[in-house]
Amino acid sequence: MGLLLVLRPPQPRPKRLRRATRAQRRERHRADAKEWATAEERGLLLDVSVEELLPLMNAAGGNRLPILGQLDPWSDGVLSREDLPQLNAEVDRLEAAGDDVERGLVAALRTLLVRWRDEPGLVLHWYGD
């Protein structure tokens, strides 16, 4: 199970189709895959394993992390630029991680946040399984 974090421009609210055809769903999936591949090349995407993230968050305070606590691996959501300072503070709390895997995850999160800070106009979307 994973959580996909992607920096991308704010997305307009999708039009609600009564029922998307298979062709429409396939086309949307292809468009998302292409966008995410480009985002990964640019360093704007992070694919996080929930099995790695949850123990790290629990060790850092779990429910007392208001921003990271929103990252639900079973749903999608968006964090705005106003959330960036609080999110930086929460990632600082995660840096007391013990093993190499957790330190690598914190470093990857830190890199993503630096990219977010440096590229105005982006928001952080997360997509759960």
Side-chain angles (χ1 to χ4, degrees), residues 36-82:
W36 292 344
T38 302
E40 188 170 27
E41 289 171 8
R42 293 184 55 214
L44 302 175
L45 179 138
L46 179 61
D47 193 1
V48 179
S49 168
V50 173
E51 289 83 17
E52 295 171 8
L53 182 63
L54 288 180
L56 180 61
M57 286 177 46
N58 288 337
N63 295 338
R64 293 184 308 239
L65 301 171
I67 303 295
L68 287 174
Q70 292 179 42
L71 300 179
D72 183 1
W74 296 278
S75 68
D76 302 340
V78 179
L79 296 175
S80 67
R81 197 151 189 88
E82 291 81 32

